[in-house]
Amino acid sequence: MESLSIGHGRPHQDGGVLDLFTGWVHRTPHAPALIDGEQSYSYAELDRLADAVAETLRGRVGKGDLLGVCLGHSAALVAVTLAAAKLGAVHLPLGPRPGERRLQAVAEQLRPACLVGEPGVLPAGGERLSLDLPATGAVEAVLASGDQAAVPVGTHYAVLTSGSTGTPKAVAVTEPALGALLHWYRELTGLGPGTRHSLLIGVAFDPHLMELWAGLTSGAALVVAPEAVRWDSGALTDWLGEARITVTVLPTPLAEPVLGRPWPAGLALRHLTVGGDRLRRVPGPDVTATVHNAYGPAEATVTTTVHTMAPGGDHGDGAPPIGLPVPGAVVLVTDEQGRPVPRGVAGELRIGGRGLAAGYLDPELTARRFVEVPPGVDGIDRVYRSGDRVVMRADGVLEFHGRLDDQVKVSGVRIEPAEVEAAFERDPRVRRAVVAAEAAVTGGARLVAFVQAEDGAQVEALLDAVRPWLPEQAVPSAVRLVDRYPLDANGKVDRAALLAAEAPVAVGAGGSGVSEVEEGDTPVERTVLKLCRELIGRADLGPGDNFLASGGNSLAAARLLESLEGEYGVRLRAALLLRQPDLRAIARLVQERMPSTSLA
């Protein structure tokens, strides 16, 4: 009988979350729990900070209440996260700069009981409380009145993902699901007293919850990564060594350049987990850490499958698979009717088991995406339709083959083009917007917006209006103003035809074409221009263009730094590169730093 594409992870073990942290507070009160630059907090000190926050909010924020957190990596963030757990509140991480309009949408649709952040970020109105926390600025809590959105019983945290309706979807994850994930991850990586885990992943990105709680529930020390390492693979590898990090999680766009660099000798790093996008690079023979290629949507609590690559092994060529299900997970590869297909046949990945989220904070959406189990699959009562196209090999290992719908990954973050379109269409100057994704030269995808707008509308003004509604990764790299949209045979907008048309006007071009492209005056200028044109995907870049305003992002900056070092032996920091007013200034900086024996 032909084997079907059904895979079961080994039996899971439950694990507490807050109770495990409290256990380490009593067992090792003086051990470092959080290290942020020169400042260090022991388990007992961190516990006292969290108690102070919880006491301030007690009676105002309680069990099952949504607590939105607008903070970056810091002791304040960790203390508020712990306080939410102590109060039984539902932690909703929004990131330090969620954008005024996006925050307003969250406040109106989810109606959290409390928002915490720096005063300039939080909306006006509501009762305000000052929180006594270490931070670069004041930290306040804004309390809301009225009923919040319904939250499933037992929810530990909620995290936003991109929504096709133009509104972010909030995924509700229970403590048992998170506890089981953390037990597996601690076992996988050997986290425990004396080890150090990075605190690096973007706060609004759900793997952040895994790295934060994994450290706090294992007796390890969390170490806050400086902002610069999120742009610069060279700075990252230096910091991993200087901070003596033993376990880290990296988003795929940052991990690939790290794996592409010579592996530093003496690095303490023993486990590197990569996730968020398709990994296209296997570790080289010099990599001394075990690399785990992890896959999992927020709807299945961060990680569903993992493929582990030990140091010194022969990992083949090309993209590594996404591996086997983690403990407690059940994976099915199905046809359009939801029936498991034979192994070796592509289909949609459906996920069930212990790690499944409770659902969305929207019952109708939950009913559409969390569905009944097909006949013949035992041990689970529902599955999540991932929308991902996969193949299960004969050995049960899963290979990722892309998306079945329009959803795309940009810099490791899932984006619904419809959400970006809706953000443009909020602007009264915009009649309609169509957003398409194309392969970026840097790998992954870049978004291009095709906008029908009122006469006189300028690209930069439209982008300024859309940015507050979207996370950084969802802001298109290029915008083209169009009069009409080509249609396919079914009468739908033909996105492929749009992308195949003349090159879009890129961000920073002001909505006007460039009739003649200016080349550099020196060999270094010409090299910088060539690299930036390839990395950003704009053939019209000139020496006077600004890197960021022209569509450059963190991944492009990391690749540019890497290429300049390989070409000229010049090591620049991302922060310095990004401060330069234009590409000519970047070239001048490179030329000034070149060894005297090099030729300009």
Side-chain angles (χ1 to χ4, degrees):
M1 181 177 175
E2 201 168 24
S3 294
L4 295 178
S5 297
I6 303 173
H8 293 262
R10 58 183 169 82
H12 71 278
Q13 291 191 39
D14 287 331
V17 178
L18 182 61
D19 287 347
L20 282 177
F21 166 75
T22 304
W24 288 110
V25 171
H26 295 309
R27 201 179 315 166
T28 58
H30 305 299
L34 180 71
I35 300 168
D36 186 359
E38 298 300 317
Q39 188 66 52
S40 178
Y41 300 86
S42 70
Y43 271 83
E45 289 170 332
L46 202 54
D47 189 50
R48 286 195 291 271
L49 280 175
D51 280 341
V53 174
E55 193 57 38
T56 302
L57 298 178
R58 199 177 305 280
R60 297 175 171 92
V61 178
K63 191 174 182 63
D65 287 341
L66 278 172
L67 195 159
V69 182
C70 306
L71 293 170
H73 300 97
S74 62
L77 169 71
V78 179
V80 172
T81 301
L82 284 166
K86 288 172 179 281
L87 293 166
V90 177
H91 175 210
L92 176 65
L94 299 170
R97 294 174 295 278
E100 180 183 352
R101 297 295 180 86
R102 188 172 177 86
L103 190 56
Q104 179 184 343
V106 168
E108 291 174 353
Q109 291 147 23
L110 301 182
R111 304 182 298 281
C114 179
L115 289 172
V116 173
E118 295 184 3
V121 173
L122 301 179
E127 181 186 357
R128 303 181 87 89
L129 301 172
S130 178
L131 301 180
D132 186 15
L133 285 168
T136 54
V139 177
E140 290 186 349
V142 175
L143 301 167
S145 58
D147 297 331
Q148 70 172 22
V151 178
V153 175
T155 300
H156 184 271
Y157 73 82
V159 65
L160 299 183
T161 68
S162 188
S164 59
T165 61
T167 302
K169 301 177 291 189
V171 181
V173 175
T174 64
E175 183 174 11
L178 178 61
L181 170 83
L182 295 174
H183 188 280
W184 160 78
Y185 184 66
R186 291 191 301 267
E187 186 180 63
L188 178 79
T189 59
L191 270 175
T195 60
R196 291 184 166 206
H197 198 299
S198 61
L199 190 61
L200 180 149
I201 298 291
V203 172
F205 192 22
D206 63 308
H208 158 72
L209 280 306
M210 183 176 78
E211 64 175 358
L212 185 150
W213 280 110
L216 296 179
T217 58
S218 66
L222 285 170
V223 186
V224 176
E227 187 64 29
V229 309
R230 296 180 181 86
W231 292 78
D232 184 339
S233 60
L236 174 58
T237 52
D238 286 349
W239 176 77
L240 289 171
E242 293 162 3
R244 305 192 307 282
I245 301 298
T246 50
V247 181
T248 191
V249 181
L250 296 180
T252 310
L254 187 55
E256 288 186 330
V258 168
L259 292 174
R261 299 178 65 85
W263 196 255
L267 208 61
L269 190 67
R270 292 295 171 260
H271 290 273
L272 164 59
T273 301
V274 182
D277 211 335
R278 183 188 302 188
L279 181 63
R280 293 170 172 80
R281 186 190 295 271
V282 297
D286 61 336
V287 175
T288 54
T290 298
V291 178
H292 309 280
N293 185 32
Y295 161 89
E299 290 84 351
T301 316
V302 185
T303 303
T304 299
T305 66
V306 67
H307 176 69
T308 295
M309 294 169 279
D314 181 5
H315 305 299
D317 298 320
I322 58 174
L324 295 166
V326 301
V330 179
V331 294
L332 321 172
V333 185
T334 68
D335 60 19
E336 292 180 357
Q337 286 72 44
R339 298 170 303 207
V341 299
R343 295 195 178 192
V345 175
E348 180 183 13
L349 177 59
R350 301 190 184 207
I351 302 166
R354 186 58 161 177
L356 209 57
Y360 300 106
L361 303 190
D362 177 341
E364 292 184 7
L365 184 58
T366 299
R368 290 200 300 271
R369 298 303 295 270
F370 291 80
V371 299
E372 291 183 357
V373 178
V377 180
D378 300 323
I380 53 174
D381 56 3
R382 63 190 184 121
V383 290
Y384 167 68
R385 297 191 61 178
S386 72
D388 288 327
R389 187 171 185 267
V390 300
V391 170
M392 182 178 286
R393 301 186 324 206
D395 58 2
V397 170
L398 289 172
E399 295 178 346
F400 183 81
H401 285 223
R403 292 288 302 172
L404 292 167
D405 54 21
D406 291 334
Q407 195 179 76
V408 296
K409 283 280 187 74
V410 179
S411 295
V413 176
R414 282 193 293 164
I415 303 295
E416 292 272 9
E419 180 179 1
V420 186
E421 292 165 358
F424 273 101
E425 290 165 2
R426 295 178 191 272
D427 191 323
R429 294 167 294 185
V430 174
R431 296 192 297 273
R432 186 179 181 187
V434 171
V435 173
E438 66 178 1
V441 177
T442 55
R446 67 193 289 262
L447 296 180
V448 181
F450 299 87
V451 179
Q452 287 182 335
E454 301 294 337
D455 291 343
Q458 295 294 309
V459 166
E460 284 297 343
L462 296 177
L463 281 164
D464 287 343
V466 84
R467 281 191 176 98
W469 290 102
L470 299 170
E472 176 193 0
Q473 297 87 349
V475 177
S477 298
V479 175
R480 179 185 171 196
L481 302 177
V482 298
D483 296 321
R484 55 178 294 276
Y485 296 109
L487 304 179
D488 62 18
N490 297 318
K492 297 180 179 181
V493 174
D494 190 336
R495 285 175 166 78
L498 281 170
L499 290 170
E502 63 183 274
V505 176
V507 174
S512 59
V514 178
S515 58
E516 187 173 334
V517 178
E518 184 182 354
E519 298 297 340
D521 294 329
T522 68
V524 176
E525 270 190 29
R526 288 191 284 274
T527 298
V528 168
L529 278 172
K530 176 179 179 294
L531 291 171
C532 289
R533 287 167 181 170
E534 292 174 352
L535 291 168
I536 297 175
R538 281 190 53 186
D540 63 334
L541 281 182
D545 288 316
N546 177 271
F547 179 81
L548 286 175
S550 301
N553 57 24
S554 57
L555 178 57
R559 297 282 172 84
L560 178 58
L561 290 166
E562 198 173 9
S563 296
L564 291 174
E565 184 177 1
E567 185 79 20
Y568 296 113
V570 172
R571 180 76 175 276
L572 299 178
R573 293 297 190 189
L576 179 61
L577 181 143
L578 296 173
R579 284 200 300 268
Q580 304 308 307
D582 52 35
L583 303 186
R584 180 178 286 113
I586 292 175
R588 189 181 307 120
L589 193 62
V590 171
Q591 197 151 342
E592 290 170 355
R593 300 290 182 90
M594 286 167 57
S596 58
T597 53
S598 298
L599 296 175

